[in-house]
Amino acid sequence: MLNRTQHFINGEWIDSTGTETIEVINPANKKTIGKISNGTIQDLNRAVSAARNAFLSFSQTTREERIILLNKIADEFEKRKKDIVDTITLELGSPIAHSETPQYSMALAHYRQAAKELEDFEFVEYKNHTAIYKEPIGVSGLITPWNFPANQASTKIASAIAAGSTVVLKPAQLTPFTAMIIADIFKSAGVPDGVFNLVNGSGRVIGDGISSHSDIDYVSFTGSGNVGKNISENAAKTIKKVSLELGGKSPLIVLEDCDIKKAVDITLSKSLFNSGQVCTAAAKIIVPESIHDEFTKVLEEEISKLPIGNPQNKDTFIGPLVSEKQYNQVQEYIDTGIKEGAHLIIGGKGHPEGLEEGFYARPTIFTNVNKNMTIAKEEIFGPVIPILTYKDIGEAIEIANDTIYGLAGYVVGSDNNLTQKVASSIRAGRITINNASEDYSAPFGGYKQSGVGREWGKYGIEEYLELKAVLTE
Ligand code: TAP
């Protein structure tokens, strides 16, 4: 049992001022794995005041000092690899191979990338007779979701540290233990006291407290659209800058000249990774009518080969969903898909056979989906693949952009000119062509209701900076 009921404030693990605790469940078997504190506003106030005090000196550190610090954090992160991978597997239910890559590896990459970006980051620019300085924004409140427990916190913290800002983090109560290891890592890496603070608890109390706190200068949030709206409304009361990384309904456009097997493999990995609980998941697959039948046949064959089950098994590709709430949400969407007339070709409601003990959902494919159906419009956040068809590229792009979201998009095809042209027509922040590998220097964030602001690389660092113009005679 992991009983970690303290908060990390001013460089120390300290008791909560409250007595309530929250149980953390292993989604693979619904057993309790430990508990954390249900933090209070007093706990949050202590953390904010520690971050405020630390800001005075941390904001004055040199880029060289922060490069050394970020690399030291990355070194310590590497030493704790096994703990992080095991903890992500336990609390999220992520298959252990995926807990390592990309869950752990992405988080690590952000610290190294932030150090690299700092080497030639321009903290001052000169225009006419004016010097334009980029100065640390102050105390940043970070609110993170459960689906990438190491990555979501690390991309934010690495950028904040690179900028010279101090932080208070509230991780999701479903997956808090990974963030607590990260706090231990910061201690071992010599992060100055108060630069990083962690308060556990509910979004309703600690999250809400962060967005309305008068001593927090900036809030960076990743999670659902409804909470994002709430945070913006709260933050407006103290005119606080907010960045939001919200949901998506990202299209994957399959082009007629594709290699079908390759297109199927890309579809499966982009739709079903992390059981579909990914904000950038390929969530509506747009296929030419001419190859629809063959594509669907191969997809059905390949999906049924994917190992689903115990996340501790190194061959598992699909683990459980994170919680009962998430499981029920996915069941409702499958039900709605059937009721609205989509054609269920594999999967469906209920648990996969023999996996009733955890929050496992059945990997599901729907065909005959039209763009007005709920499963083509809303974020399911589960292992459900809706397939839509198109007659010509114009129609494919229209379907792709017919969404309130704009986080990501995918294009699969053989003609480079065409894939580039289609990529440029999708209104979203991050488009991947075929099997392009990750790029940590490229911006991550969304158009439309997928959010405001960008993370990763120098774009992430810029969010934690203010601009000051000094006009000289
Ligand atoms: P959210 O409720 O948005 O949770 C994300 C984070 O916000 C958690 O740390 C949560 O705290 C906190 N939070 C909750 N209410 C808050 C409030 N009023 N003020 C400030 N912070 C608050 O997401 P969820 O309920 O876990 O998932 C719901 C749906 O959101 C999913 O089905 C999925 O569609 C979407 N989602 C999107 C993403 C990404 S990456 N875009 C990630 C997760 C979920 P606690 O949960 O600890 O109380």
Side-chain angles (χ1 to χ4, degrees):
M1 276 288 239
L2 284 160
N3 285 332
R4 298 201 67 177
T5 52
Q6 292 182 308
H7 306 297
F8 189 78
I9 297 176
N10 208 24
E12 286 182 277
W13 287 105
I14 61 165
D15 290 340
S16 176
T17 56
T19 52
E20 280 182 31
T21 56
I22 300 171
E23 286 202 350
V24 183
I25 307 290
N26 176 351
N29 58 20
K30 304 184 190 168
K31 293 197 173 132
T32 303
I33 53 176
K35 59 181 181 181
I36 55 166
S37 266
N38 192 4
T40 65
I41 289 296
Q42 288 75 17
D43 297 332
L44 175 64
N45 287 341
R46 283 167 82 171
V48 173
S49 129
R52 175 64 55 207
N53 285 339
F55 181 71
L56 295 173
S57 52
F58 194 62
S59 58
Q60 302 304 311
T61 51
T62 64
R63 102 175 48 220
E64 289 73 22
E65 286 168 327
R66 298 200 298 278
I67 290 172
I68 292 169
L69 186 59
L70 284 160
N71 278 319
K72 193 90 200 301
I73 292 170
D75 294 343
E76 292 295 322
F77 211 83
E78 286 177 350
K79 289 187 202 158
R80 297 293 299 269
K81 177 176 176 178
K82 186 170 180 331
D83 288 343
I84 294 172
V85 169
D86 288 348
T87 304
I88 295 173
T89 306
L90 199 62
E91 63 183 9
L92 174 63
S94 156
I96 195 150
H98 298 173
S99 301
E100 181 172 341
T101 312
Q103 294 268 4
Y104 159 85
S105 58
M106 279 171 94
L108 171 65
H110 290 304
Y111 297 106
R112 296 272 185 225
Q113 185 68 37
K116 194 165 162 220
E117 298 289 351
L118 271 189
E119 283 169 16
D120 54 6
F121 193 92
E122 288 187 353
F123 282 98
V124 57
E125 289 171 40
Y126 298 94
K127 300 223 170 193
N128 301 324
H129 56 291
T130 304
I132 300 159
Y133 295 96
K134 296 179 187 171
E135 299 188 338
I137 197 163
V139 176
S140 302
L142 316 179
I143 305 171
T144 51
W146 40 263
N147 59 341
F148 284 81
N151 174 68
Q152 310 282 25
S154 294
T155 183
K156 294 181 194 304
I157 302 164
S159 296
I161 288 181
S165 286
T166 59
V167 306
V168 176
L169 168 70
K170 189 213 94 63
Q173 57 183 290
L174 289 173
T175 57
F177 293 125
T178 305
M180 297 178 90
I181 298 174
I182 292 175
D184 289 333
I185 286 170
F186 292 157
K187 179 95 180 154
S188 321
V191 173
D193 294 350
V195 168
F196 170 81
N197 305 275
L198 180 153
V199 180
N200 272 320
S202 72
R204 203 176 38 80
V205 175
I206 305 301
D208 196 79
I210 286 176
S211 61
S212 43
H213 208 290
S214 55
D215 238 1
I216 289 183
D217 303 281
Y218 166 56
V219 178
S220 177
F221 169 75
T222 301
S224 63
N226 283 339
V227 173
K229 284 176 199 161
N230 199 277
I231 286 173
S232 292
E233 282 168 16
N234 260 351
K237 292 174 198 150
T238 48
I239 317 291
K240 213 192 287 328
K241 179 181 163 185
V242 173
S243 290
L244 304 171
E245 202 273 89
L246 308 174
K249 189 70 184 174
S250 301
L252 185 152
I253 300 181
V254 176
L255 300 176
E256 200 168 21
D257 67 355
C258 71
D259 173 323
I260 290 199
K261 174 67 171 59
K262 184 174 170 188
V264 162
D265 288 346
I266 293 174
T267 301
L268 289 173
S269 80
K270 304 296 183 198
S271 318
L272 298 185
F273 175 75
N274 212 22
S275 300
Q277 303 168 117
V278 181
C279 48
T280 54
K284 55 180 180 184
I285 312 303
I286 306 167
V287 180
E289 277 183 2
S290 55
I291 61 167
H292 168 268
D293 290 355
E294 196 187 346
F295 176 86
T296 310
K297 183 170 150 281
V298 180
L299 190 68
E300 188 182 347
E301 282 163 16
E302 294 299 318
I303 204 171
S304 44
K305 291 182 198 161
L306 293 177
I308 170 163
N310 187 350
Q312 303 287 348
N313 182 335
K314 67 177 177 23
D315 296 323
T316 295
F317 186 84
I318 302 180
L321 295 166
V322 72
S323 64
E324 185 159 20
K325 179 179 159 207
Q326 203 60 31
Y327 175 82
N328 290 338
Q329 174 175 307
V330 171
Q331 299 305 305
E332 269 175 43
Y333 276 116
I334 294 175
D335 205 31
T336 305
I338 296 167
K339 284 188 182 139
E340 290 184 0
H343 183 189
L344 178 74
I345 62 164
I346 193 165
K349 288 181 73 180
H351 296 281
E353 215 183 306
L355 291 172
E356 291 77 14
E357 80 281 13
F359 303 120
Y360 293 92
R362 297 169 72 191
T364 296
I365 302 174
F366 281 109
T367 57
N368 280 10
V369 178
N370 72 53
K371 65 180 187 177
N372 298 317
M373 288 180 180
T374 307
I375 58 168
K377 289 173 110 61
E378 294 184 11
E379 185 175 46
I380 300 173
F381 237 58
V384 178
I385 304 180
I387 299 181
L388 296 87
T389 57
Y390 68 88
K391 288 190 176 59
D392 55 44
I393 296 287
E395 191 186 7
I397 291 164
E398 191 201 316
I399 297 170
N401 288 331
D402 185 17
T403 169
I404 57 167
Y405 296 113
L407 188 55
Y410 304 87
V411 186
V412 183
S414 300
D415 176 341
N416 286 341
N417 287 333
L418 188 57
T419 53
Q420 289 290 344
K421 196 169 156 217
V422 173
S424 69
S425 307
I426 300 175
R427 299 221 358 109
R430 199 171 176 96
I431 314 295
T432 304
I433 296 176
N434 293 320
N435 259 326
S437 58
E438 207 44 277
D439 183 349
Y440 296 98
S441 71
F444 185 102
Y447 288 22
K448 302 192 259 180
Q449 291 190 30
S450 285
V452 182
R454 293 293 181 268
E455 302 197 289
W456 298 29
K458 73 169 186 170
Y459 308 94
I461 298 171
E462 277 165 1
E463 297 286 340
Y464 294 81
L465 294 165
E466 286 281 20
L467 293 178
K468 177 193 279 176
V470 177
L471 288 67
T472 305
E473 200 175 14

